[in-house]
Amino acid sequence: MKRVFAYLFLSALTVLSVSCSKEAGIETNDNREVVTATVSFKDFAATKATADGDGVAANVNHWVVEVRDVKNPSKIFYREEKDAEAGTKEQTFDLLLVKNQTYDIAFWADCKGCYGVSSLRAAEMLNPAGNKDVFDAFCAVKEDYLCTGNGNISATLTRPLAQLNFIATDLKALEAFATDEAYPNYKPSDFELTIPVAMKYDVYAGAVLESGITSRTIKASEIYGTYSPAADETTLFMTYVFADSNNTKDLGFKFKSNQVGMGADVTNVPVKTNYRTNIKGNFFTGKVQCNVTVCPNWNEPEVEVSL
């Protein structure tokens, strides 16, 4: 089976124009300043991740900022969550920080309800499912930010996720070859992917939590993508998995559908944050060449009938 490790266009979020200044509406004292963080998306219009239309962050409606003092990183100094309409491209947070203190500031954006983010040291994927673009999520961390009374922060949010895609290059051939009566018995559905999944991710470290890895069976009932005539292929199944930002890890998995004999048992599949891994090949068919000859000789003895 041909394996493609495809780069996922950086569908980015950008944190812009963060400065220390006193704001009306937030009470300050002599040693605190309001830091305004404006988080916004870049334009995704020209950089769709796939022909299936994902990768544009259209489902993001939930934003989180979390601040920790570097001297006491186990404690959350400040935290805020905001809801917005799906596809909102910008969000603003006002952070009340102490002057001359250094902070790690983590940002997160997702579709609300898909992740547990009470702590961005252990963001948790809730009930992972196949063929669901709502699990697309983004994050970043600004380390060692010193609030001196004024300044600017620039950061880019990218996915803490890899995307696995199972792409068939023979589904159209099967559809064309099988009779109209027979094809419904072979059309794939009810997909199952059994894989060791990292359920938790540390945004500050940019890494999965090894203690959260567990074997899960991720399911989807119908085919994910439409047929692409140009590539002569169909995306059967897609899912998101947490991955490390600095390292590529290899996963093994079992993939199957409701059809007898349809599936794959694969090892050493690379995954990395913000990359797509495409598992591509013939999932349903194998070419069999039939050589047919005619034997012209009659068998003997002949059958004799007397009248």
Side-chain angles (χ1 to χ4, degrees):
M1 178 183 298
K2 184 178 179 181
R3 184 178 69 185
V4 180
F5 190 38
Y7 181 75
L8 175 60
F9 292 107
L10 287 178
S11 299
L13 304 158
T14 305
V15 180
L16 301 172
S17 304
V18 181
S19 63
C20 289
S21 62
K22 290 190 177 181
E23 292 277 339
I26 295 182
E27 183 179 351
T28 64
N29 56 33
D30 290 342
N31 68 336
R32 292 201 176 197
E33 293 288 343
V34 176
V35 177
T36 301
T38 302
V39 185
S40 63
F41 284 101
K42 287 185 177 180
D43 182 8
F44 289 102
T47 57
K48 284 188 176 181
T50 71
D52 300 310
D54 65 357
V56 296
N59 298 293
V60 170
N61 62 5
H62 177 230
W63 305 72
V64 182
V65 62
E66 185 177 284
V67 182
R68 294 175 186 260
D69 190 326
V70 296
K71 295 179 180 178
N72 191 11
S74 64
K75 302 288 186 180
I76 297 175
F77 177 81
Y78 179 81
R79 172 186 176 77
E80 186 176 354
E81 298 189 29
K82 288 188 177 183
D83 295 338
E85 292 185 6
T88 298
K89 303 303 183 191
E90 185 173 285
Q91 192 59 263
T92 300
F93 297 96
D94 290 329
L95 316 177
L96 191 62
L97 304 181
V98 179
K99 289 181 182 178
N100 301 318
Q101 296 299 308
T102 304
Y103 301 93
D104 290 336
I105 306 172
F107 299 95
W108 179 274
D110 66 5
C111 181
K112 190 172 184 178
C114 293
Y115 294 88
V117 287
S118 59
S119 169
L120 293 185
R121 284 206 178 280
E124 182 176 7
M125 184 179 292
L126 304 176
N127 303 314
N131 298 351
K132 298 291 186 181
D133 286 321
V134 293
F135 283 94
D136 206 3
F138 303 83
C139 69
V141 61
K142 178 65 177 179
E143 295 180 302
D144 298 326
Y145 175 75
L146 176 63
C147 183
T148 60
N150 57 71
N152 295 286
I153 293 177
S154 179
T156 301
L157 276 67
T158 54
R159 294 174 177 86
L161 306 155
Q163 188 188 75
L164 292 179
N165 297 273
F166 295 81
I167 301 172
T169 56
D170 60 346
L171 181 59
K172 201 67 177 179
L174 173 63
E175 182 180 351
F177 187 80
T179 65
D180 292 340
E181 293 181 355
Y183 178 69
N185 296 322
Y186 294 95
K187 183 179 179 180
S189 62
D190 300 320
F191 300 99
E192 293 186 2
L193 173 67
T194 302
I195 189 170
V197 176
M199 300 298 293
K200 295 183 178 181
Y201 184 85
D202 185 339
V203 175
Y204 295 89
V208 301
L209 295 181
E210 297 293 335
S211 60
I213 295 178
T214 182
S215 179
R216 297 290 293 265
T217 297
I218 303 172
K219 299 181 179 182
S221 59
E222 299 295 333
I223 292 174
Y224 173 62
T226 56
Y227 174 68
S228 171
D232 193 23
E233 60 189 32
T234 306
T235 302
L236 303 173
F237 183 89
M238 178 278 296
T239 194
Y240 294 95
V241 295
F242 280 134
D244 287 343
S245 59
N246 296 320
N247 300 299
T248 300
K249 288 193 174 182
D250 289 346
L251 295 180
F253 60 83
K254 294 180 183 292
F255 177 65
K256 66 178 183 178
S257 82
N258 62 334
Q259 300 303 321
V260 175
M262 182 270 154
D265 189 348
V266 183
T267 60
N268 299 325
V269 174
V271 293
K272 189 176 181 180
T273 56
N274 221 55
Y275 281 77
R276 298 179 72 226
T277 295
N278 298 333
I279 300 94
K280 184 185 299 186
N282 292 346
F283 283 89
F284 308 104
T285 63
K287 292 183 179 180
V288 178
Q289 187 177 55
C290 298
N291 295 314
V292 182
T293 61
V294 175
C295 179
N297 298 327
W298 296 103
N299 288 344
E300 296 181 355
E302 297 178 356
V303 178
E304 302 284 352
V305 179
S306 298
L307 295 178

